[in-house]
Amino acid sequence: MESMLKIEKFKGLVAATFTPFDQKGNLNVSIINEYCSFLGKNGVSGIFINGTTGEGVSLSNKEKQINAAAWARAVKDTGKMRVINLVGGTSYQECIDNALFSKECGFSAIAILAPFFFRPDEGRLAEFIAKVGESVPVMPVYFYHIPELTGVNMPVIGLLRRISGMLPNFAGIKYTAEDLMDFLSCTSFDGGKYDILWGRDECLLAALATGAKGAVGSTYNYAAPLYHALIKAFNEGDLDEARRLQMKSAGIVELLGKYGGIATGKAFMRYAGIDCGKFRVPVYNMSDDMYPEFVKDIKALGIEDYFSKM
């Protein structure tokens, strides 16, 4: 069954956005307009909401929709960035509800996570994705591959072969893993028909060499100029400069690990001028006492010229 839907591939940087909370841990959507404008001014071409960085699995379904609606308003008011909304991954009925809500919001696409409790094989995963995607036949549908967190680990090329014959509006994959051979197989499948977005910021250069044109990542929120420079150097054939800039990126990711992991990204945002609060438990957050030392470490990286500007 051929689709009448034309896949418009994402190019450049897609920021996996943080969900802003206030000091009590409640949604703080009042800052999303400013946040959206900040991303647009720093050359981000799209946003990926309610994902891993956005703590989608820590939000109630009502909160996901409130967050989505706020981003829909912000994009309309402040710019033309395209939006992918992660609609869920354990209940296909909840995913369908959020897919229909995404359509009402006017988003560019939805993404679906592999069910991570009752974990499927390749065939059942394709069936799950198709069941959700059929509810919004005019919307592009992406699969979000992140086996490190879902535990659903398989060569994605096999899934792509299956789903391509099942879901006409299937658009591509957010590929957050390190299997470059599998990634290459996906980017090459059916003449490069599908949009395969790279999801490991610290390995972007390798993905560019393998054919990536678009990438989704958390560090693009606050260090977009670094990656714009890296992509430019790669496109101009200056691999020494591209490698130098990729090492700057690796330094950022090392700091994430040093201060506890994913929640450190919100500390980077605070440094950039957008206070998104903290991550919800059980995610570890650095203490306020550690923040001054964290700032010293940022300055030691020598990335001031590559930090996103307000």
Side-chain angles (χ1 to χ4, degrees), residues 261-281:
I262 189 170
T264 309
K266 283 192 170 181
F268 271 109
M269 288 298 289
R270 176 182 168 187
Y271 181 78
I274 305 284
D275 189 350
C276 294
K278 295 188 176 181
F279 268 61
R280 285 181 171 172
V281 292

Side-chain angles (χ1 to χ4, degrees), residues 2-3 7 15 20 23 30 84 133 138 140 142 176 236 262 299-300:
E2 288 295 322
S3 172
I7 298 172
Q23 291 184 345
S30 65
I84 306 174
V138 297
Y142 287 77
T176 307
E236 293 175 352
I262 189 170
K299 292 180 177 177

Side-chain angles (χ1 to χ4, degrees), residues 56 129 133 176 218 247:
I129 295 168
T176 307
S218 66
M247 284 304 298

Side-chain angles (χ1 to χ4, degrees), residues 25-58:
N26 298 315
L27 287 180
N28 181 21
V29 298
S30 65
I31 72 166
I32 286 178
N33 262 47
E34 179 187 21
Y35 188 175
C36 186
S37 178
F38 169 74
L39 294 175
K41 287 175 182 176
N42 284 280
V44 170
S45 63
I47 56 177
F48 188 98
I49 65 171
N50 288 326
T52 304
T53 303
E55 300 176 76
V57 295
S58 298

Side-chain angles (χ1 to χ4, degrees), residues 190-206:
D190 198 4
K193 174 181 177 180
Y194 293 98
D195 191 13
I196 315 299
L197 299 167
W198 183 250
R200 288 288 191 209
D201 311 13
E202 68 275 24
C203 305
L204 177 60
L205 179 56

